[in-house]
C-alpha cells in the first residue's frame, strides 16, 4: 500500500514525506547504498512541490539516513542509525 500525504493532518507535508521515505528506508524498500528517486519524481509521486521534497531530504540527512552527492543524487547510507524513539539518551 502506497503511503500518501494527508493534507488535513496537523503535521507539515515535508515532515509527512520525510516519515514516508524513512519508513521505506527502514523496511528495505530503499536499500542501503541505493539512490533515491529524484526530486521531480518524488514531487510528482506525492503531489508536493520541489521545496517540500528538499526539506524532507534535509530532515533525512540530519537524521543520518541519506547522503547527497552533488550532481549525482541522494543515497541511503550503508549503516542506518538506530531509530530515535524521542526519549533521548541520558
Amino acid at each position: 500500500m502506497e503511503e500518501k500525504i494527508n493534507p488535513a493532518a496537523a503535521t507539515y507535508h515535508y515532515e509527512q514525506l520525510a516519515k514516508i521515505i524513512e519508513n521505506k528506508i527502514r523496511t528495505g524498500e530503499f536499500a542501503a547504498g541505493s539512490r533515491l528517486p529524484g526530486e521531480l519524481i518524488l514531487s510528482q509521486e506525492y503531489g508536493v512541490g520541489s521545496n517540500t521534497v528538499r526539506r524532507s531530504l534535509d530532515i533525512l540527512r540530519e537524521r543520518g539516513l541519506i547522503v547527497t552527492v552533488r550532481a549525482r543524487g541522494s543515497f541511503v547510507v550503508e549503516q542506518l542509525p538506530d531509530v530515535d524513539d524521542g526519549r533521548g539518551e541520558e
Side-chain angles (χ1 to χ4, degrees):
M1 180 175 100
E2 184 67 33
E3 293 183 74
K4 299 202 182 294
I5 301 295
N6 179 356
T11 55
Y12 292 109
H13 292 174
Y14 65 88
E15 292 170 338
Q16 293 180 55
L17 182 57
K19 186 66 174 167
I20 290 169
I21 296 170
E22 180 175 353
N23 287 341
K24 289 184 175 196
I25 290 170
R26 294 206 179 272
T27 61
E29 190 172 336
F30 292 145
S34 68
R35 184 176 184 268
L36 294 179
E39 286 182 14
L40 180 60
I41 292 169
L42 290 170
S43 177
Q44 291 172 340
E45 186 173 333
Y46 292 99
V48 296
S50 57
N51 285 336
T52 299
V53 173
R54 279 188 215 109
R55 287 187 77 174
S56 298
L57 296 177
D58 287 344
I59 290 170
L60 296 171
R61 268 191 298 279
E62 289 169 9
R63 293 180 184 167
L65 296 169
I66 65 170
V67 293
T68 300
V69 180
R70 186 174 177 162
R72 294 210 42 229
S74 295
F75 298 83
V76 178
V77 296
E78 292 292 334
Q79 182 66 42
L80 293 178
D82 292 333
V83 177
D84 180 8
D85 61 8
R87 290 186 288 173
E89 294 186 42
E90 296 181 29

